[in-house]
Amino acid sequence: MSYLDVPRLHFYGTFTANPSTRNNDPANYNKLEPPFLPVPTLDPGWNPDGDHTWAFVGCTVQTVIGPNGSPSQDVLVGTAVSSTGTESGSNPKLVDLDTEQQLVSMIFGLQIQIGDSASGSVTGNFQPQPFLDLNGNSAYYQSVLQDLTWSSDLASPVLQELQKISPDALSIKFDLVLTQLSQGKPASGTITGTIGPASPGEPANFLLGRLMRPQASPSALAVKGHATPQMVAQMATQSAPSANYTPFVVDSNRRKVIVDFGNSFSTYDLGTLQVAILPSQGSPQILGTVEYTQNTYQTLAAIQEFDATADQISSLQSSILGVLFEGSPILAEDQNATSLAVTPMVCRLNPGKSAQIDLVALSFGAPAAHHTIQIQIDNSQIENNNPIVQPIGTPTNALQFPASVTTDANGRACFTLTAAPGGPGNPRGSIDGQIYGIGFTWQLDSNPDPWVFVSVHAYDHVSVPASPNWENDVLPILGPYDDLYPFMANLINLAKRDQVLKHAKQIAFRLQLPKTDPRHMPVTRDLSANKRQIVLNWFHHQTQGPGGTTGG
C-alpha cells in the first residue's frame, strides 16, 4: 500500500524555502581563520541571511479518490494541508548534507495537518527524507507521516477509511517546482502532492512498484526488441519532449495501471503521449492517452489510472511498459522491468559508528529473489551535480562495507556501512570530514537510475580534551558559524566568548536535541559528536568553577 493506493487525496499550493546560502560555496570555508572576524570577501550566494525554514503555503485538498477508485464529493475537499514544526512549534528546517553535496536536501521537524474542524483532521510527523530525481527546477519528496493524531469527530469519509486501514502511518509524496529565486529572498514554487495508506515494511522513501526510464537513445529499445526499426527511424526525425523517471504500479485487483507523472515532464505542451505495453515481439498495446495538463497536475498531482484487461495485466508480468510520443518510446522500463529501493539514502556517520542500509530489488513488480547486488564507492552524481572545490571520496578506506549482498526470497537484503574509527583524516582541510557516494550495480538492471545511491558524510575524528579551552578548542568549532550563517548574528555572535556564555544553557539544550527536532543546533547538522561534546564540556567547566568563570 502506498500513496498510489485508494483511498487517497491530492493537494496543491505553494512552498517557501529560506536556506542560508553563504555556506553553499565550498571556497568560502578556505577563507575562514581565527579569530573569525567578519570576512567581506565571502561569496554571499542568493540568500545569505536565510534561516533555513521551509513551509507549505496555501495548500488545500483538491481531489479525494474514494475506496472504489472514483473521485468523491468528500467534505475534505477545499480544506487546508498545512505544515508546522513538530511538538515545539518551531518551523521546519531545510538542510543540505554538506557544502559539496547539496542535492539530497532534507526537511527536518515537519509536521503536516490535513483537514479542519468541520471535516475532521489528521496530523503526522514527516519522516525526514532527501529529495529525489532532480529534473531541472523540479524534484520530489516521498516519505511517511508517523505518530498520527486523528481528531475524534471525523466527518470526512476518506479520513474515516484511512484511519481504518492505515491508523499508524500514511504514505505521502509531493512534487516541487521552483518558480521564484530572487537575491536576498526566500525561494518559492508550486507543490502538488498525494497522501494515501502506508503498509508496515514498505520503504518510506520508495514506491514498491515499477519504474520507466528516459530513453536517451531510441536505438537501445530496438536492440532489446521493444521497438521496431520503423519506430526508431520515426523518433529520430521528431523533436520528442524530454522526460524524467516515472514510477507506476500494476493493480491486478482493480485491473489498473497507475502512473505517477508528477515529476516526469517540465512543460504541459507535450503533443500526444500514449501509455503502452511494449512486448518483446509484436506491436505495442495502447492502454490510453496521457492527460498531462495544468489541471491534472493541480487536481490529481499528475497521477493517472489506465484500465487494463485481464490479459494485459497478465502480459505485464513479463512485458515492459512505456510512453510513446507519436508512436515512438520516450519512456520505458529496462528490459527486465527492474527497480531498486534503498533506505536510508543519507547518512551522517561519526568515527567508528555504523548505519544499516536496506535494499529491496524488484523485477516486473515481483521480488527479485537470490540476486547479487554489487556495492562500490561511486561519487559521479555528487561530482557532476555539485560545486566541488576540495576532492571528495578519499580516502576510500574511511568507510567499510561488503563488496556485495544477495537478496533473500523476498528480494530484500541489508548491509552495514561503518565509518573508520580514525575518521577520514581531514582530507578537505577547512571543511569537516569527507563526502562519499555509495552506488549499486545489479546485472539484471541494464539501465539503472543514477539517483539511487547513498550519500555519506563521514566526520573527522577529533579528541575531546578533559578541560576544553575557548581559544584552542571551542572557538574553532563555533567561530565559523558566525561567518557562514549570518542569520545567527541576529541572535548571538558565536565568535564572542562572552555572548556564547550568556546563552550557554540554551545552546547546550539545542545541541543535545535529536537531529529530527527543528530546534536542533546547529541547524545544518554538520557538527560531529565529539565536537559537540567539546562545547558541552566547556560549558560544564565554566559553570562549575568558582564564580562560574573558570576555564579557558
Side-chain angles (χ1 to χ4, degrees):
M1 302 173 75
S2 73
Y3 70 93
L4 290 184
D5 286 301
V6 292
R8 62 177 184 264
L9 62 92
H10 304 290
F11 63 92
Y12 180 82
T14 61
F15 72 93
T16 61
N18 193 30
S20 174
T21 56
R22 193 173 285 187
N23 69 318
N24 282 357
D25 187 347
N28 283 346
Y29 289 72
N30 295 329
K31 300 174 183 178
L32 303 178
E33 57 184 25
F36 302 107
L37 300 173
V39 182
T41 60
L42 293 185
D43 182 353
W46 58 268
N47 192 38
D49 297 318
D51 61 3
H52 288 270
T53 56
W54 191 96
F56 289 173
V57 179
C59 291
T60 58
V61 176
Q62 300 285 312
T63 305
V64 167
I65 305 297
N68 63 356
S70 299
S72 168
Q73 298 301 315
D74 196 289
V75 292
L76 196 64
V77 174
T79 63
V81 178
S82 57
S83 61
T84 64
T86 54
E87 300 168 356
S88 65
S90 298
N91 290 323
K93 301 300 191 296
L94 180 69
V95 181
D96 292 331
L97 176 62
D98 184 79
T99 185
E100 295 192 294
Q101 173 49 314
Q102 299 176 27
L103 295 183
V104 287
S105 304
M106 301 176 73
I107 304 169
F108 289 95
L110 173 61
Q111 187 177 78
I112 296 176
Q113 178 176 311
I114 306 105
D116 58 21
S117 58
S119 64
S121 64
V122 59
T123 303
N125 297 333
F126 180 87
Q127 183 187 105
Q129 299 291 346
F131 71 70
L132 285 173
D133 284 0
L134 184 66
N135 181 27
N137 287 336
S138 66
Y140 74 84
Y141 284 95
Q142 181 178 337
S143 188
V144 292
L145 301 180
Q146 300 174 313
D147 307 316
L148 299 182
T149 300
W150 303 85
S151 64
S152 59
D153 52 348
L154 294 178
S156 162
V158 73
L159 289 185
Q160 293 174 17
E161 186 66 17
L162 284 172
Q163 184 185 35
K164 177 182 176 181
I165 65 176
S166 193
D168 301 320
L170 294 173
S171 175
I172 181 171
K173 187 249 189 180
F174 50 88
D175 303 286
L176 307 173
V177 178
L178 179 66
T179 60
Q180 182 67 37
L181 191 66
S182 301
Q183 186 67 32
K185 296 181 179 180
S188 61
T190 61
I191 180 171
T192 186
T194 305
I195 297 172
S199 291
E202 269 191 334
N205 56 326
F206 273 95
L207 181 70
L208 284 187
R210 297 168 66 165
L211 184 69
M212 289 185 281
R213 280 91 161 182
Q215 298 301 299
S217 171
S219 59
L221 277 183
V223 170
K224 297 167 188 173
H226 298 296
T228 66
Q230 290 81 8
M231 293 167 66
V232 173
Q234 183 181 8
M235 189 173 181
T237 63
Q238 297 169 336
S239 179
S242 61
N244 196 33
Y245 296 90
T246 300
F248 70 96
V249 295
V250 178
D251 188 332
S252 57
N253 293 326
R254 296 177 56 222
R255 292 186 181 176
K256 300 281 187 180
V257 175
I258 309 167
V259 187
D260 181 358
F261 291 111
N263 195 43
S264 298
F265 308 108
S266 57
T267 179
Y268 300 121
D269 186 15
L270 300 172
T272 300
L273 300 181
Q274 295 175 305
V275 171
I277 300 172
L278 304 177
S280 57
Q281 295 184 355
S283 301
Q285 301 175 35
I286 306 299
L287 296 183
T289 300
V290 177
E291 297 178 10
Y292 190 82
T293 65
Q294 185 170 0
N295 181 62
T296 58
Y297 183 81
Q298 178 173 330
T299 60
L300 295 170
I303 290 171
Q304 188 171 351
E305 297 192 354
F306 298 88
D307 293 325
T309 66
D311 287 343
Q312 289 170 332
I313 294 292
S314 178
S315 174
L316 281 167
Q317 294 178 9
S318 58
S319 296
I320 68 171
L321 193 74
V323 172
L324 306 180
F325 168 72
E326 302 297 337
S328 301
I330 62 169
L331 281 168
E333 295 181 90
D334 71 302
Q335 65 188 76
N336 295 304
T338 59
S339 63
L340 182 65
V342 178
T343 188
M345 298 188 72
V346 172
C347 294
R348 293 168 167 84
L349 287 180
N350 287 288
K353 299 301 181 180
S354 300
Q356 178 176 302
I357 309 298
D358 295 311
L359 309 177
V360 184
L362 304 176
S363 177
F364 292 101
H370 313 303
H371 281 264
T372 298
I373 297 173
Q374 307 295 327
I375 309 169
Q376 63 280 328
I377 289 180
D378 182 357
N379 305 306
S380 57
Q381 280 294 93
I382 301 176
E383 293 170 333
N384 293 339
N385 294 286
N386 286 274
I388 301 298
V389 170
Q390 301 290 351
I392 66 169
T394 59
T396 57
N397 62 359
L399 293 178
Q400 288 122 34
F401 52 88
S404 66
V405 291
T406 300
T407 60
D408 61 17
N410 297 312
R412 295 175 179 262
C414 66
F415 67 94
T416 300
L417 179 65
T418 303
N426 193 227
R428 298 187 295 170
S430 56
I431 306 175
D432 185 277
Q434 184 58 286
I435 294 298
Y436 297 87
I438 305 298
F440 307 94
T441 303
W442 178 18
Q443 188 174 7
L444 200 65
D445 187 351
S446 59
N447 184 16
D449 181 350
W451 293 104
V452 179
F453 70 99
V454 178
S455 295
V456 183
H457 186 176
Y459 295 113
D460 287 325
H461 172 74
V462 178
S463 297
V464 180
S467 299
N469 175 276
W470 166 258
E471 291 290 339
N472 298 326
D473 302 313
V474 180
L475 179 61
I477 296 173
L478 297 184
Y481 287 96
D482 196 61
D483 278 310
L484 294 173
Y485 309 97
F487 75 91
M488 283 296 299
N490 297 324
L491 306 173
I492 177 177
N493 186 333
L494 291 173
K496 298 293 185 180
R497 180 179 183 275
D498 58 338
Q499 290 196 33
V500 171
L501 282 176
K502 180 180 179 180
H503 297 276
K505 185 176 181 180
Q506 185 180 26
I507 294 173
F509 170 73
R510 290 175 176 263
L511 282 173
Q512 297 176 86
L513 289 172
K515 282 185 168 61
T516 53
D517 193 298
R519 300 167 295 174
H520 179 90
M521 182 177 178
V523 65
T524 47
R525 288 149 175 85
D526 55 358
L527 200 60
S528 68
N530 277 12
K531 287 185 176 180
R532 186 166 58 250
Q533 193 60 52
I534 288 172
V535 178
L536 292 173
N537 286 359
W538 182 71
F539 284 149
H540 176 75
H541 283 283
Q542 298 305 306
T543 58
Q544 294 302 309
T549 59
T550 64

